[in-house]
Amino acid sequence: MRSEKLTKTKDHLIESLRDKQRRDGSWKFCFEGSLMTNAYMIILLRSLNIQTEETLIKRLVNEICRKQENNGSWKLYYDERFGNLSNTIECYFALLYSGYLPRDSDVLQRAKSFITNNGGLQKSEWLTKSMLAITGQIPWPTIIKLIPIEIMLLPTWSPISMFEIVGYARAHWVPIIICSNKNFKNVHPQQPSLEDLNIDREEDQSQIDERSMKLISKIKSEATKLAEIPEQIHEESFHKGEAYMLERIESNGTLYSYFSSTFFMIYSLLALGYKKDHHIIKSAIEGMKSFLFEEKDLYYIENSPSTVWDTALISNALHIAGVKNTDPMIASSTQYLLNHQHTTFGDWMINCPDTPPGGWGFSPINTMVPDIDDTTAALRALAPSTIAKIIPSTVWEKGINWVLSMQNKDGGWAAFEKNITNRWLSFIPFRYEDRVLFDPSTADLTGRTLHFLGEYTNIERNSATIKKGINWLKKHQLEDGSWYGRWGICYIYGTWTAVTGLLACGVSRSDPSLKRAINWLNSIQNKNGGWGESCSSDIKKKYTPLYASTPSQTAWALDALIYYYDKPTKEIEIGMEFLLSSFEKTNWTIEYPTGAGLPGGFYIHYHSYNYIWPLVTISNYQRKYL
């Protein structure tokens, strides 16, 4: 590998990032998921008859139309075989509701054909069904309507409560349950009907089995212990749901800092009697509009800006690349991260009551939802300044304390909260409920946390904390040598984090778990030298090759191999050649989503990743081998 080419590429990435840094020290790249957000904004503005946003609606319409497939569908990722039914329903409804396309237009006719050929509205996913029910297009699905609002009254120490669902899911479920229990429908007089897409009017209730009914019965029986009069319980439950939402509204008006949860909150407030011009609703809409990202041909509403995450990762990547603390780029990003360390308690404290705040969240308006990945990323970025005593040691100590306190009892780390694994709620018959409703330990979070602890702290490698984390990873390695990563795509991501985490904590290279992992990574390398994995892996829960290579997944695999091998191997060399050549590409692989949100429903193209991970990998290659 020619060192001149490596250095030139690394320097180019550094200077590109310097040019893209904002005045406040942050980097703002697009967090691009599905078109659900664009569609929901149109639906919201039209259903509330807000007539002052025509420019916004027109541009959102154009963006949706631009991304339609030839078969009439909209996809979540390039190789999604036929298209995505739920996303197509959302886009079709939004375009129809916008009024800018006649119903007989080619765009809408092709979309309608795709929807009817794939089963119609009743075959969509639960979030889409909730939106359709709120707008009166379908009856409320039985399983959603069966969940009683009384669940809001059950205390955290109850055998079952809303707080046994992870926070990001809970922030959606509370407003949806309010609407479903009110049987709320918001139907504007000019709203188009999707009756012709309601093909199967008989709802499939095959999933609502004895276990599901047992869960509902359990919720109601627990709630009746709290009061004598059922009517009082019912009414108080709505007040509790309302209070839950109002207490978790961020400064920009959004619920939990998410566009999608805010969308449902607005309708739940209407269901509770709020007027559409109430200041809370108006503020929420303004907050949702603030998530608009506009750049060149892209006009997209983010579900939540990734600015803190991007800034932490980029700052750390620059450190690895050799940029000094004295560089203004690092100094300003350090100050930005300092300003965004959390100082308030959030729902995470329920299972961690003795721990003071000290984490970081994903977006800059997020003040109450810290997570493990953002916190360790921020601490990595701040480590050099902490060592140099440029910043107060209390920042570091609070962050470390928060991370250590969030270790699950099984030894691993989850994303947002501690020990959220209540099996009662698995009786709710939703697809991927283990990854949607709960927050279990995962290989990616555990591996990245161990890597941080091993590389950036002086915690003893034989400490109970690290031993338990190592044991969790070894226990959850798959037979082929890989690990499943929950928040990235997917087995490459999980294996990279696990390998680097184990090695950072002193696990020997001769350990069988590491040998199997490295053999697996070598075995799935593409002929062009890169690595690529399909988002379908996340749905199938099985490694599925992309049959193409992406920059970020190639960087992850290479970084694991570089961490493992003392000398560059043939696989590493041809991998690096591909990685360096990828900066000249402009095809779909550059935009392929390698971040995961909801299995089968939400995947993310992090626009920052094509800078961050190649820069880290190139720098680690240079530092180790040259």
Side-chain angles (χ1 to χ4, degrees):
M1 179 62 59
R2 293 180 59 189
S3 61
E4 296 86 355
K5 189 174 183 180
L6 285 167
T7 300
K8 184 178 179 180
T9 303
K10 185 180 78 171
D11 290 346
H12 172 72
L13 287 170
I14 291 171
E15 292 311 308
S16 295
L17 289 169
R18 191 184 299 278
D19 291 342
K20 292 179 180 296
Q21 189 177 32
R22 301 198 300 175
R23 288 185 178 181
D24 65 359
S26 70
W27 282 272
K28 182 172 175 57
F29 285 87
C30 189
F31 174 76
E32 186 179 1
S34 76
L35 286 167
M36 175 265 290
T37 45
N38 282 19
Y40 279 23
M41 178 59 88
I42 295 170
I43 293 165
L44 176 68
L45 294 174
R46 282 291 185 248
S47 69
L48 298 188
N49 197 28
I50 296 174
Q51 300 176 355
T52 57
E53 300 292 347
E54 290 308 308
T55 300
L56 173 62
I57 291 173
K58 284 180 184 178
R59 296 201 64 181
L60 293 175
V61 165
N62 290 338
E63 183 72 4
I64 293 173
C65 290
R66 185 173 71 86
K67 294 191 174 182
Q68 188 182 32
E69 299 292 324
N70 291 333
N71 69 348
S73 74
W74 281 266
K75 290 184 176 182
L76 300 184
Y77 50 93
Y78 179 84
D79 58 320
E80 191 171 26
R81 189 173 179 188
F82 300 112
N84 188 273
L85 177 61
S86 292
N87 201 217
T88 302
I89 290 170
E90 292 163 345
C91 290
Y92 175 82
F93 184 28
L95 293 178
L96 193 59
Y97 212 162
S98 75
Y100 287 108
L101 278 77
R103 191 182 280 266
D104 61 356
S105 66
D106 180 61
V107 169
L108 291 178
Q109 285 300 303
R110 285 188 291 124
K112 178 181 176 182
S113 176
F114 178 86
I115 295 168
T116 54
N117 289 339
N118 286 275
L121 306 183
Q122 288 292 352
K123 296 296 183 181
S124 60
E125 296 287 354
W126 67 271
L127 204 65
T128 307
K129 284 182 178 176
S130 297
M131 178 275 291
L132 292 171
I134 282 172
T135 53
Q137 300 291 354
I138 63 172
W140 275 98
T142 303
I143 186 55
I144 297 177
K145 199 168 181 180
L146 275 176
I147 301 174
I149 189 63
E150 285 79 7
I151 194 173
M152 293 305 309
L153 289 184
L154 301 185
T156 56
W157 46 261
S158 170
I160 183 170
S161 81
M162 278 301 292
F163 291 93
E164 295 293 344
I165 296 176
V166 65
Y168 66 82
R170 187 165 61 244
H172 293 79
W173 270 109
V174 170
I176 287 172
I177 290 171
I178 289 172
C179 289
S180 67
N181 275 253
K182 291 281 187 180
N183 200 26
F184 174 76
K185 292 178 176 60
N186 184 86
V187 182
H188 186 266
Q190 295 178 344
Q191 175 180 297
S193 171
L194 303 183
E195 179 69 17
D196 52 348
L197 299 179
N198 210 356
I199 300 167
D200 188 359
R201 287 168 171 71
E202 292 298 319
E203 183 185 352
D204 179 13
Q205 299 189 21
S206 60
Q207 288 185 305
I208 305 173
D209 56 15
E210 186 179 340
R211 295 194 318 156
S212 305
M213 297 311 298
K214 187 176 180 181
L215 169 66
I216 306 306
S217 176
K218 181 70 173 176
I219 294 171
K220 291 185 175 181
S221 67
E222 289 293 321
T224 56
K225 297 175 183 177
L226 303 177
E228 294 294 328
I229 306 173
E231 290 78 8
Q232 289 181 350
I233 299 174
H234 195 64
E235 196 57 36
E236 178 59 27
S237 299
F238 285 112
H239 291 312
K240 193 78 170 180
E242 178 184 8
Y244 167 89
M245 295 186 296
L246 298 182
E247 290 166 3
R248 290 161 180 79
I249 293 177
E250 292 284 7
S251 60
N252 74 339
T254 58
L255 174 61
Y256 235 61
S257 77
Y258 301 140
F259 175 99
S260 49
S261 59
T262 308
F263 174 87
F264 290 105
M265 178 188 74
I266 289 171
Y267 289 108
S268 70
L269 293 176
L270 294 173
L272 292 169
Y274 286 63
K275 302 299 182 184
K276 72 173 186 178
D277 59 353
H278 192 283
H279 70 91
I280 293 177
I281 292 178
K282 291 171 72 174
S283 176
I285 293 171
E286 289 302 310
M288 296 164 78
K289 285 165 53 183
S290 75
F291 291 165
L292 178 66
F293 189 97
E294 185 175 3
E295 185 179 80
K296 296 180 182 177
D297 295 331
L298 182 64
Y299 199 78
Y300 179 73
I301 296 178
E302 300 171 298
N303 200 49
S304 186
S306 58
T307 315
V308 175
W309 174 242
D310 289 331
T311 301
L313 291 177
I314 290 169
S315 187
N316 177 239
L318 292 170
H319 281 305
I320 294 171
V323 179
K324 303 298 184 184
N325 275 334
T326 53
D327 191 301
M329 181 165 50
I330 295 295
S332 59
S333 67
T334 295
Q335 188 57 52
Y336 179 86
L337 292 172
L338 289 176
N339 293 341
H340 286 86
Q341 186 175 31
H342 287 195
T343 58
T344 58
F345 289 95
D347 291 345
W348 57 267
M349 68 168 290
I350 293 170
N351 291 327
C352 225
D354 299 323
T355 301
W360 278 262
F362 186 69
S363 65
I365 44 88
N366 172 350
T367 63
M368 63 185 83
V369 193
D371 65 87
I372 297 296
D373 234 357
D374 277 285
T375 301
T376 58
L379 290 171
R380 282 181 174 89
L382 296 176
S385 298
T386 303
I387 294 168
K389 298 184 179 179
I390 297 173
I391 63 176
S393 60
T394 52
V395 172
W396 181 265
E397 291 162 2
K398 287 179 180 177
I400 290 285
N401 183 49
W402 190 82
V403 169
L404 294 177
S405 71
M406 294 294 287
Q407 187 174 28
N408 284 335
K409 60 187 177 184
D410 63 10
W413 277 268
F416 295 97
E417 297 176 42
K418 183 176 180 177
N419 297 330
I420 301 293
T421 55
N422 191 321
R423 292 300 101 186
W424 264 105
L425 294 174
S426 67
F427 291 0
I428 300 175
F430 287 101
R431 293 177 70 196
Y432 321 116
E433 78 282 345
D434 58 327
R435 290 172 282 166
V436 173
L437 300 179
F438 311 127
D439 196 17
S441 298
T442 64
D444 46 327
L445 270 299
T446 304
R448 283 177 60 77
T449 304
L450 286 178
H451 178 268
F452 165 70
L453 295 177
E455 286 280 356
Y456 292 85
T457 76
N458 58 4
I459 294 173
E460 293 291 334
R461 290 179 172 181
N462 63 355
S463 68
T465 296
I466 287 179
K467 280 184 176 179
K468 288 195 297 182
I470 291 172
N471 289 338
W472 188 93
L473 278 178
K474 288 188 174 183
K475 182 179 178 181
H476 288 84
Q477 186 177 27
L478 301 175
E479 287 186 13
D480 63 6
S482 70
W483 281 269
Y484 166 75
R486 165 65 177 89
W487 300 98
I489 305 300
C490 231
Y491 293 90
I492 294 174
Y493 185 70
T495 305
W496 161 62
T497 57
V499 166
T500 52
L502 291 172
L503 287 169
C505 288
V507 176
S508 170
R509 285 172 173 76
S510 62
D511 190 281
S513 62
L514 286 172
K515 284 186 172 182
R516 289 195 295 131
I518 295 300
N519 288 338
W520 180 79
L521 283 172
N522 284 330
S523 74
I524 63 165
Q525 185 175 26
N526 290 331
K527 289 182 179 179
N528 66 4
W531 280 260
E533 181 176 353
S534 172
C535 292
S536 300
S537 287
D538 194 40
I539 302 166
K540 298 176 181 177
K541 241 348 186 35
K542 179 182 179 182
Y543 171 72
T544 306
L546 183 60
Y547 300 111
S549 301
T550 68
S552 55
Q553 290 170 329
T554 298
W556 296 335
L558 280 170
D559 198 45
L561 298 180
I562 292 166
Y563 218 96
Y564 181 81
Y565 287 112
D566 289 331
K567 296 179 180 180
T569 63
K570 178 187 70 175
E571 290 83 3
I572 291 174
E573 292 295 87
I574 63 172
M576 291 299 294
E577 289 286 355
F578 170 82
L579 187 63
L580 293 177
S581 71
S582 68
F583 297 103
E584 303 164 5
K585 298 181 185 299
T586 56
N587 62 21
W588 62 269
T589 60
I590 306 302
E591 300 177 350
Y592 192 80
T594 57
L598 295 176
F602 194 79
Y603 297 101
I604 306 111
H605 167 37
Y606 287 93
H607 288 222
S608 62
Y609 277 16
N610 290 341
Y611 294 86
I612 295 166
W613 304 119
L615 179 57
V616 168
T617 297
I618 290 168
S619 301
N620 283 338
Y621 178 96
Q622 277 192 317
R623 185 168 56 176
K624 186 165 185 178
Y625 298 139
L626 299 179

